[in-house]
mmCIF file of all heavy atoms in Angstrom:
data_model
loop_
_atom_site.group_PDB
_atom_site.id
_atom_site.type_symbol
_atom_site.label_atom_id
_atom_site.label_comp_id
_atom_site.label_asym_id
_atom_site.label_seq_id
_atom_site.Cartn_x
_atom_site.Cartn_y
_atom_site.Cartn_z
ATOM 1 N N THR A 277 90.000 40.748 -11.628
ATOM 2 C CA THR A 277 90.752 41.543 -10.682
ATOM 3 C C THR A 277 90.223 41.341 -9.301
ATOM 4 O O THR A 277 90.973 41.785 -8.321
ATOM 5 C CB THR A 277 90.703 43.044 -11.057
ATOM 6 O OG1 THR A 277 89.251 43.433 -10.957
ATOM 7 C CG2 THR A 277 91.292 43.411 -12.404
ATOM 8 N N SER A 299 92.810 42.524 5.778
ATOM 9 C CA SER A 299 93.983 43.201 5.807
ATOM 10 C C SER A 299 94.923 42.960 4.561
ATOM 11 O O SER A 299 95.871 43.761 4.368
ATOM 12 C CB SER A 299 94.754 42.908 7.141
ATOM 13 O OG SER A 299 95.065 41.579 7.267
ATOM 14 N N VAL A 300 94.796 41.913 3.785
ATOM 15 C CA VAL A 300 95.826 41.554 2.853
ATOM 16 C C VAL A 300 95.727 42.520 1.688
ATOM 17 O O VAL A 300 96.806 42.848 1.116
ATOM 18 C CB VAL A 300 95.424 40.064 2.199
ATOM 19 C CG1 VAL A 300 94.019 40.035 1.464
ATOM 20 C CG2 VAL A 300 96.558 39.604 1.328
ATOM 21 N N GLY A 301 94.626 43.146 1.378
ATOM 22 C CA GLY A 301 94.614 44.175 0.317
ATOM 23 C C GLY A 301 95.348 45.352 0.638
ATOM 24 O O GLY A 301 96.291 45.841 0.054
ATOM 25 N N PRO A 302 95.037 45.958 1.793
ATOM 26 C CA PRO A 302 95.683 47.304 2.122
ATOM 27 C C PRO A 302 97.234 47.084 2.397
ATOM 28 O O PRO A 302 97.957 48.109 2.072
ATOM 29 C CB PRO A 302 95.074 47.670 3.483
ATOM 30 C CG PRO A 302 93.699 47.048 3.423
ATOM 31 C CD PRO A 302 93.873 45.787 2.615
ATOM 32 N N PHE A 303 97.707 46.004 2.846
ATOM 33 C CA PHE A 303 99.045 45.858 3.268
ATOM 34 C C PHE A 303 99.960 45.174 2.041
ATOM 35 O O PHE A 303 101.072 45.528 1.976
ATOM 36 C CB PHE A 303 99.239 45.033 4.461
ATOM 37 C CG PHE A 303 98.982 45.934 5.699
ATOM 38 C CD1 PHE A 303 97.687 45.866 6.231
ATOM 39 C CD2 PHE A 303 99.955 46.678 6.226
ATOM 40 C CE1 PHE A 303 97.252 46.652 7.291
ATOM 41 C CE2 PHE A 303 99.652 47.610 7.404
ATOM 42 C CZ PHE A 303 98.249 47.566 7.936
ATOM 43 N N PHE A 304 99.343 44.297 1.226
ATOM 44 C CA PHE A 304 100.110 43.523 0.351
ATOM 45 C C PHE A 304 99.699 43.901 -1.108
ATOM 46 O O PHE A 304 100.494 43.643 -1.973
ATOM 47 C CB PHE A 304 99.851 42.014 0.479
ATOM 48 C CG PHE A 304 100.751 41.514 1.641
ATOM 49 C CD1 PHE A 304 100.392 41.630 3.018
ATOM 50 C CD2 PHE A 304 101.892 40.906 1.332
ATOM 51 C CE1 PHE A 304 101.156 41.244 3.995
ATOM 52 C CE2 PHE A 304 102.716 40.378 2.456
ATOM 53 C CZ PHE A 304 102.346 40.604 3.706
ATOM 54 N N GLY A 305 98.511 44.434 -1.390
ATOM 55 C CA GLY A 305 98.108 44.816 -2.690
ATOM 56 C C GLY A 305 98.280 43.662 -3.673
ATOM 57 O O GLY A 305 98.944 43.715 -4.749
ATOM 58 N N PRO A 306 97.683 42.498 -3.312
ATOM 59 C CA PRO A 306 97.841 41.243 -4.188
ATOM 60 C C PRO A 306 97.242 41.470 -5.536
ATOM 61 O O PRO A 306 96.366 42.481 -5.697
ATOM 62 C CB PRO A 306 97.185 40.149 -3.494
ATOM 63 C CG PRO A 306 96.161 40.933 -2.615
ATOM 64 C CD PRO A 306 96.789 42.333 -2.346
ATOM 65 N N PRO A 307 97.648 40.725 -6.691
ATOM 66 C CA PRO A 307 97.100 40.868 -7.952
ATOM 67 C C PRO A 307 95.569 40.749 -7.974
ATOM 68 O O PRO A 307 94.947 41.157 -8.982
ATOM 69 C CB PRO A 307 97.822 39.943 -8.760
ATOM 70 C CG PRO A 307 98.506 38.994 -7.841
ATOM 71 C CD PRO A 307 98.588 39.740 -6.608
ATOM 72 N N LEU A 308 95.084 39.993 -7.104
ATOM 73 C CA LEU A 308 93.581 39.694 -6.969
ATOM 74 C C LEU A 308 93.139 40.304 -5.692
ATOM 75 O O LEU A 308 93.757 40.198 -4.623
ATOM 76 C CB LEU A 308 93.215 38.352 -6.960
ATOM 77 C CG LEU A 308 93.320 37.579 -8.266
ATOM 78 C CD1 LEU A 308 93.090 35.996 -8.219
ATOM 79 C CD2 LEU A 308 92.390 38.150 -9.337
ATOM 80 N N THR A 309 92.000 41.220 -5.749
ATOM 81 C CA THR A 309 91.482 41.712 -4.567
ATOM 82 C C THR A 309 90.386 40.835 -3.996
ATOM 83 O O THR A 309 89.367 40.484 -4.753
ATOM 84 C CB THR A 309 90.830 43.207 -4.857
ATOM 85 O OG1 THR A 309 91.810 43.954 -5.226
ATOM 86 C CG2 THR A 309 90.266 43.747 -3.497
ATOM 87 N N PRO A 310 90.522 40.310 -2.655
ATOM 88 C CA PRO A 310 89.414 39.514 -2.124
ATOM 89 C C PRO A 310 88.230 40.328 -1.766
ATOM 90 O O PRO A 310 88.280 41.388 -1.188
ATOM 91 C CB PRO A 310 90.117 38.828 -0.975
ATOM 92 C CG PRO A 310 91.052 39.835 -0.470
ATOM 93 C CD PRO A 310 91.547 40.584 -1.722
ATOM 94 N N HIS A 590 106.194 44.579 4.065
ATOM 95 C CA HIS A 590 104.812 44.921 3.722
ATOM 96 C C HIS A 590 104.209 45.626 5.091
ATOM 97 O O HIS A 590 103.088 46.188 4.864
ATOM 98 C CB HIS A 590 103.926 43.775 3.311
ATOM 99 C CG HIS A 590 104.420 43.337 2.038
ATOM 100 N ND1 HIS A 590 103.942 43.888 0.808
ATOM 101 C CD2 HIS A 590 105.245 42.246 1.592
ATOM 102 C CE1 HIS A 590 104.447 43.151 -0.254
ATOM 103 N NE2 HIS A 590 105.265 42.241 0.296
ATOM 104 N N MET A 608 97.032 34.389 2.739
ATOM 105 C CA MET A 608 96.211 34.920 1.822
ATOM 106 C C MET A 608 96.846 35.516 0.691
ATOM 107 O O MET A 608 96.512 35.486 -0.535
ATOM 108 C CB MET A 608 95.162 35.878 2.419
ATOM 109 C CG MET A 608 94.381 35.358 3.669
ATOM 110 S SD MET A 608 93.969 33.616 3.587
ATOM 111 C CE MET A 608 92.998 33.459 5.089
ATOM 112 N N ALA A 609 97.922 36.370 0.978
ATOM 113 C CA ALA A 609 98.680 37.002 -0.095
ATOM 114 C C ALA A 609 99.338 36.060 -1.067
ATOM 115 O O ALA A 609 99.266 36.203 -2.222
ATOM 116 C CB ALA A 609 99.794 38.001 0.554
ATOM 117 N N ASP A 610 99.930 34.946 -0.562
ATOM 118 C CA ASP A 610 100.583 33.939 -1.359
ATOM 119 C C ASP A 610 99.569 33.181 -2.206
ATOM 120 O O ASP A 610 99.813 32.911 -3.292
ATOM 121 C CB ASP A 610 101.369 32.989 -0.470
ATOM 122 C CG ASP A 610 102.626 33.661 0.094
ATOM 123 O OD1 ASP A 610 103.093 34.673 -0.382
ATOM 124 O OD2 ASP A 610 103.295 33.086 0.947
ATOM 125 N N LEU A 611 98.401 33.005 -1.548
ATOM 126 C CA LEU A 611 97.330 32.185 -2.322
ATOM 127 C C LEU A 611 96.773 32.957 -3.355
ATOM 128 O O LEU A 611 96.684 32.493 -4.635
ATOM 129 C CB LEU A 611 96.217 31.760 -1.362
ATOM 130 C CG LEU A 611 94.940 31.151 -1.946
ATOM 131 C CD1 LEU A 611 95.508 29.936 -2.760
ATOM 132 C CD2 LEU A 611 93.921 30.868 -0.879
ATOM 133 N N LEU A 612 96.517 34.217 -3.160
ATOM 134 C CA LEU A 612 95.866 35.211 -4.206
ATOM 135 C C LEU A 612 96.889 35.372 -5.308
ATOM 136 O O LEU A 612 96.541 35.381 -6.604
ATOM 137 C CB LEU A 612 95.505 36.535 -3.619
ATOM 138 C CG LEU A 612 94.380 36.416 -2.569
ATOM 139 C CD1 LEU A 612 94.167 37.732 -1.836
ATOM 140 C CD2 LEU A 612 93.114 36.148 -3.378
ATOM 141 N N THR A 613 98.240 35.443 -4.987
ATOM 142 C CA THR A 613 99.236 35.689 -6.054
ATOM 143 C C THR A 613 99.382 34.464 -6.891
ATOM 144 O O THR A 613 99.519 34.533 -8.173
ATOM 145 C CB THR A 613 100.659 36.066 -5.366
ATOM 146 O OG1 THR A 613 100.518 37.263 -4.642
ATOM 147 C CG2 THR A 613 101.653 36.143 -6.352
ATOM 148 N N ALA A 616 96.361 34.254 -9.273
ATOM 149 C CA ALA A 616 96.587 35.225 -10.379
ATOM 150 C C ALA A 616 97.572 34.818 -11.307
ATOM 151 O O ALA A 616 97.447 35.061 -12.611
ATOM 152 C CB ALA A 616 96.913 36.623 -9.770
#
Side-chain angles (χ1 to χ4, degrees):
T277 59
S299 60
V300 66
F303 285 93
F304 281 80
L308 288 175
T309 300
H590 290 274
M608 306 323 187
D610 288 346
L611 175 59
L612 292 168
T613 300

